[in-house]
Amino acid sequence: MSKEQAIKVENLNKSFGKGDSFVDVIKDASFVINKGELVALVAPSGAGKTTLLMMLGCVDEPNSGKMWLGDEKVYENKWLTKETRKIRREKIGFIFQAHYLIPFLNVIDNLTLLPQANGVSDKAAKSKARELLKYFDISDKEKAMPSQLSGGQNQRVAIARALANNPEIILADEPTAALDTQRSIDVVKTLKRMALEQNVAVVMVTHDDRMLQYCDRIMKIENKTIVFQSES
Amino acid sequence: MIHLAKEDIRHTLGKFVVTGMGVGMLLGIVLIMMGVYRGMIADAEVLLNDLNVDLWVVQEDTLGPFAEASRIHEDLKYTVKGFQEIDKSEALTFQNLQLPLQLQDKKMAVFAIGYDVYGKINPINQNRLIDGRALQNDHYEIVVTDKTGYKVGDKIELGRNFFTVVGVTSGSVASGGDPLVYVSLKDAQELQFTYANKRVQTDRARGLLNKDAHLVNAVVATIKAGYDVDEVARDLRKWQHKSVYTRAQQKVVLTRNVVEKSSKQIGLFTVILIGVATIIIALIIYTMTLEKMKEISIMKLMGLPNGVIVRMIVEETLILGVLAFVFGNIFAGLIYDKFPKNVLLNAADSSLLFVVVVIASILASFIGVKKVVNADPTAAIGG
């Protein structure tokens, strides 16, 4: 397994509110997640999973600390670039609870939208998209609209979309929440395979303990700090 | 780069086209309103252009027969003709009549012109005559416009007499938009200035002998080549104690005094309709944007630049505006000739509306753009 660093966090803090309404959400979080790893993020509701995910995704700004995505330091007590959206576009892939494909774009356009926004040519973006569709065994659906696909097919397209911009990190927010057990297992196995074969770090928020056995590591938020439960 | 607006429109094509048709009908009404205004201006000038005279002599301190009542003696035409600068002069009457409609128990408002059948100035434009001939006899002949529905040979009862239709014109309208009919000066004077028998009896009992029917509403004249029309008008005003208008002045009277208020009213309606169309487009785009908020949040979360999403909204608004403009033109083209009064559609008005629609669409898109800019990417996370 590659030990190339995908995410590195040092003393990251996040709080909300002021005065009486002040709430610490994440305190002194420090961890490293490497490429090729599937890491589960587990915590009770309201413990700060989404906040952490949004900070790793350069959407929510932490209050202090340091953060690297790949080799690039992106945060040191402030964003080191104004273009956090560009960081997301180039380094991160997102997978959501539902597939959330753009309903008015067909499968291949859903996959090529972000790469094209990154300046990749239409031809190159389509070539990569076709590769991914083949990888996920849905090559025959490239012209289909999301509404014409089954739930499982849509979720596979959504995972393929997350990889279309060659990200270093994939942030998955409860990708199995809307699926039955067997399909959930399939998706998590796919994510694990993808992490290894595509050499990306996958951080997956989940409430489903049955999925944890397929993850390389389990990251918990306990008393506002990050704790790794075990290493498989 | 994928054309998001095109793909979104294709996805909801039916809804988009129907919306465009709806807004288009509104824009069609705007075009019709502009056409009504153009029609009024054109109508106001029909008679002026058909008569093609240089001077209008009317009752002192009045604006002439198109704007207010004017009565002068018919023989003034001879006095005017006596001026060495004058080439031709004739007396004319103008009056509103209610023309009984054939086979219907209704009447149609028309504007009647009385002229000397043997005179040298004929108000009937030969190019407008589509059937029959101009008047040739002093009595009981009438030339009507095709909008009256009468044909050559038909009989029309007016006043105490029956008139025979001898000619039919097309496109002859008065400044108010009423169809024009033409009768001889003598018949017109009888219709306008001769009282009914009972009125005559009453006047006689009162000792009034008001029998002068040799009145007209205006004397028109053309001047000889080489003379300045304004100077001749000034001389006539000086010596004859009448109001005298040149053709240009009469045109101003018609467009400013007669149709100005109507045109302002139409202009205001047009502005309101454009405002309403803008608000409707803005609301449609706002609703369409609201429907896509989840996708917009996802696109923002994935890192798609605001510019790409904003471009989609602005392009959709512009395409909707242009589609509505096209439908508006088609709609206006289909219905403009169904209106009772002249509606003139022209390319200049259409071009102006296009510019207004583009500007209005850009303004209307702001509300959707604001929504995009303020969209929270974290809204994509969670259920």
Side-chain angles (χ1 to χ4, degrees):
Chain A
M1 181 192 288
S2 166
K3 288 291 180 186
E4 206 180 338
Q5 165 190 300
I7 301 170
K8 185 179 174 187
V9 163
E10 280 183 12
N11 305 110
L12 206 66
N13 290 288
K14 179 68 180 175
S15 59
F16 291 108
K18 284 179 183 173
D20 291 343
S21 60
F22 181 84
V23 181
D24 261 330
V25 182
I26 303 288
K27 280 178 77 176
D28 285 327
S30 296
F31 57 87
V32 174
I33 296 171
N34 294 316
K35 290 184 182 174
E37 273 191 306
L38 170 60
V39 177
L41 174 57
V42 184
S45 294
K49 295 188 299 291
T50 302
T51 302
L52 180 60
L53 210 65
M54 289 296 97
M55 286 194 292
L56 298 179
C58 302
V59 180
D60 269 357
E61 187 171 359
N63 295 112
S64 61
K66 293 176 189 172
M67 188 166 81
W68 288 259
L69 296 181
D71 296 327
E72 186 183 355
K73 189 194 267 186
V74 295
Y75 183 82
E76 185 169 1
N77 299 321
K78 63 173 186 178
W79 293 121
L80 299 177
T81 173
K82 285 181 182 175
E83 287 280 313
T84 52
R85 207 181 284 198
K86 188 166 181 277
I87 296 171
R88 290 205 294 277
R89 203 159 65 224
E90 291 177 350
K91 289 180 180 289
I92 303 170
F94 288 91
I95 301 170
F96 309 99
Q97 280 184 24
H99 59 78
Y100 290 155
L101 296 172
I102 308 300
F104 53 84
L105 296 181
N106 63 22
V107 166
I108 193 120
D109 285 347
N110 261 290
L111 264 65
T112 57
L113 179 62
L114 208 54
Q116 286 190 32
N118 281 337
V120 177
S121 71
D122 180 55
K123 192 178 171 188
K126 278 188 173 157
S127 169
K128 168 78 179 174
R130 287 191 177 110
E131 238 176 68
L132 288 167
L133 292 176
K134 192 174 175 189
Y135 181 77
F136 288 105
D137 198 24
I138 37 175
S139 293
D140 56 329
K141 301 294 181 189
E142 73 167 61
K143 292 288 177 194
M145 300 303 284
S147 59
Q148 296 168 319
L149 301 179
S150 69
Q153 286 171 328
N154 271 323
Q155 195 63 335
R156 274 186 280 166
V157 175
I159 296 170
R161 177 179 66 177
L163 284 168
N165 56 334
N166 291 316
E168 297 174 42
I169 303 147
I170 287 186
L171 302 176
D173 180 44
E174 299 187 56
T176 60
L179 304 176
D180 58 46
T181 306
Q182 189 50 53
R183 219 178 257 172
S184 298
I185 291 168
D186 289 345
V187 166
V188 176
K189 279 182 173 174
T190 304
L191 289 176
K192 177 152 176 130
R193 180 166 63 102
M194 189 181 77
L196 277 171
E197 293 177 6
Q198 305 286 332
N199 197 31
V200 293
V202 181
V203 180
M204 177 181 75
V205 172
T206 183
H207 281 291
D208 190 344
D209 291 345
R210 290 169 299 182
M211 303 302 134
L212 299 180
Q213 60 183 303
Y214 303 101
C215 299
D216 297 313
R217 288 194 291 163
I218 300 163
M219 183 163 62
K220 288 186 170 180
I221 302 173
E222 286 181 357
N223 298 322
K224 295 157 189 168
T225 58
I226 303 296
V227 177
F228 281 87
Q229 182 180 300
S230 64
E231 299 218 1
S232 58
Chain B
M1 185 68 198
I2 295 163
H3 200 281
L4 290 175
K6 190 181 89 181
E7 297 302 329
D8 188 30
I9 290 168
R10 187 188 294 174
H11 185 63
T12 53
L13 189 62
K15 186 176 155 190
F16 197 83
V17 169
V18 171
T19 307
M21 285 172 79
V23 181
M25 288 173 91
L26 202 60
L27 293 181
I29 300 294
V30 172
L31 278 172
I32 292 289
M33 297 293 269
M34 292 164 108
V36 167
Y37 169 72
R38 296 285 171 209
M40 283 175 71
I41 297 290
D43 287 354
E45 294 175 9
V46 164
L47 186 53
L48 215 55
N49 293 335
D50 283 359
L51 269 166
N52 198 22
V53 294
D54 300 315
L55 293 169
W56 290 73
V57 183
V58 299
Q59 186 176 327
E60 194 172 18
D61 298 329
T62 71
L63 288 171
F66 303 122
E68 59 185 311
S70 161
R71 284 187 178 192
I72 53 178
H73 287 100
E74 183 188 345
D75 58 8
L76 185 67
K77 67 181 178 185
Y78 301 117
T79 314
V80 171
K81 180 72 179 73
F83 278 70
Q84 64 167 352
E85 302 95 329
I86 299 297
D87 180 30
K88 295 179 277 186
S89 76
E90 291 297 342
L92 297 173
T93 62
F94 303 91
Q95 66 194 106
N96 290 302
L97 288 177
Q98 291 292 325
L99 206 67
L101 291 178
Q102 271 186 316
L103 309 173
Q104 291 181 51
D105 192 20
K106 286 182 186 170
K107 291 189 171 181
M108 176 190 255
V110 294
F111 194 68
I113 301 170
Y115 70 98
D116 184 354
V117 173
Y118 309 113
K120 290 181 176 172
I121 295 175
N122 187 339
I124 299 176
N125 181 342
Q126 290 299 313
N127 295 329
R128 297 190 192 281
L129 207 57
I130 56 171
D131 196 13
R133 56 168 172 81
L135 304 178
Q136 286 178 353
N137 295 304
D138 254 352
H139 285 297
Y140 315 131
E141 287 188 350
I142 187 168
V143 171
V144 299
T145 58
D146 52 355
K147 283 201 171 180
T148 61
Y150 283 105
K151 292 184 174 58
V152 171
D154 287 341
K155 302 277 185 191
I156 303 171
E157 186 179 6
L158 286 173
R160 302 171 184 176
N161 302 301
F162 282 90
F163 289 72
T164 304
V165 176
V166 295
V168 178
T169 60
S170 175
S172 305
V173 284
S175 56
D178 291 333
L180 283 177
V181 298
Y182 308 86
V183 291
S184 74
L185 187 64
K186 286 179 181 173
D187 286 341
Q189 285 171 323
E190 195 177 333
L191 284 168
Q192 190 175 169
F193 304 116
T194 305
Y195 295 133
N197 289 342
K198 288 291 179 193
R199 166 75 186 261
V200 174
Q201 285 169 10
T202 310
D203 282 354
R204 279 181 186 160
R206 291 173 177 224
L208 298 171
L209 293 171
N210 190 359
K211 294 168 67 179
D212 187 3
H214 295 286
L215 293 171
V216 293
N217 303 112
V219 167
V220 293
T222 57
I223 62 169
K224 291 173 184 166
Y227 290 101
D228 180 70
V229 70
D230 292 314
E231 276 180 25
V232 180
R234 200 160 44 240
D235 287 347
L236 278 172
R237 278 186 209 114
K238 192 170 164 185
W239 294 105
Q240 294 303 322
H241 310 293
K242 304 291 175 199
S243 287
V244 181
Y245 298 101
T246 63
R247 183 173 171 172
Q249 287 169 328
Q250 191 64 266
K251 192 172 174 178
V252 170
V253 168
L254 276 167
T255 52
R256 214 175 266 173
N257 296 62
V258 179
V259 298
E260 189 182 28
K261 275 189 182 171
S262 302
S263 64
K264 276 184 181 171
Q265 187 148 327
I266 288 170
L268 193 58
F269 265 121
T270 307
V271 169
I272 290 169
L273 279 173
I274 288 172
V276 170
T278 307
I279 291 168
I280 289 175
I281 292 175
L283 283 175
I284 290 165
I285 292 301
Y286 181 68
T287 310
M288 284 167 66
T289 308
L290 279 187
E291 286 171 358
K292 287 194 283 284
M293 278 316 286
K294 192 81 185 178
E295 288 78 28
I296 288 168
S297 296
I298 291 162
M299 287 194 269
K300 287 182 83 167
L301 182 66
M302 289 194 310
L304 220 61
N306 264 351
V308 173
I309 310 169
V310 165
R311 202 180 83 180
M312 173 178 76
I313 302 296
V314 174
E315 282 179 352
E316 280 185 13
T317 319
L318 279 172
I319 293 169
L320 180 66
V322 172
L323 187 70
F325 171 78
V326 171
F327 277 124
N329 273 276
I330 294 169
F331 179 64
L334 288 173
I335 63 164
Y336 83 99
D337 59 349
K338 309 285 188 293
F339 285 80
K341 286 192 178 179
N342 193 10
V343 178
L344 278 183
L345 301 178
N346 69 34
D349 286 345
S350 192
S351 306
L352 177 68
L353 183 65
F354 181 76
V355 173
V356 171
V357 165
V358 168
I359 294 169
S361 298
I362 290 169
L363 289 176
S365 71
F366 284 173
I367 193 165
V369 167
K370 189 168 179 282
K371 198 77 190 158
V372 168
V373 172
N374 293 335
D376 178 12
T378 59
I381 300 289

